[in-house]
Each structure stands twice: as structure tokens, then as C-alpha cells.
Amino acid sequence: MAGESLMEMVQSLTAEEQAAVRQFIDYLKVRGGADDVPASFVDAAEEFIAQHPELLRRLAL
């Protein structure tokens, strides 16, 4: 996926959804500096989902 199409996808989201994307990116950046960095993007996504269920529940409404 080209970076440009990813930007277009994010821009098409609601403001609340864009905030969730930003929060997830910030989370990945912080985790990138830790000693126990998740092995993959999927691992990081699963950990984020486990730690932020309320945010994701509210976005799903």
C-alpha cells in the first residue's frame, strides 16, 4: 500500500477515528523504545486492543 493511499484513507475517517489512529501510532512509537517490543504489528495491535477496549467500543458505535 502506498503512503499516499494510506493518507487518503486516514483523511476519510471521522475526527474521532483519526484521533484513535494517532493514538495507536503514538502507542507504537512508545513501544518501539521498550525492551519487550512486540514481535510484529499484529502483536502490537492486539496489545493495544486489550489495553484500550473502551476507546474501541466507543468508535464502533
Side-chain angles (χ1 to χ4, degrees), residues 24-51:
F24 182 61
I25 290 169
D26 290 343
Y27 172 81
L28 290 175
K29 287 179 182 176
V30 169
R31 294 291 295 156
D35 290 338
D36 60 343
V37 176
S40 70
F41 179 82
V42 173
D43 292 339
E46 289 175 352
E47 187 173 337
F48 182 85
I49 290 166
Q51 291 181 6

Side-chain angles (χ1 to χ4, degrees), residues 5 10 12 26 29-30 32 38 48 52 55:
S5 61
V10 172
S12 72
D26 290 343
K29 287 179 182 176
V30 169
F48 182 85
H52 301 283
L55 169 68

Side-chain angles (χ1 to χ4, degrees), residues 9 15-18 21-22 25 30 45 52 54-55 57 60:
M9 288 174 54
E16 189 173 15
E17 291 167 333
Q18 287 182 20
V21 170
R22 278 188 220 99
I25 290 169
V30 169
H52 301 283
E54 180 62 19
L55 169 68
R57 185 193 66 76

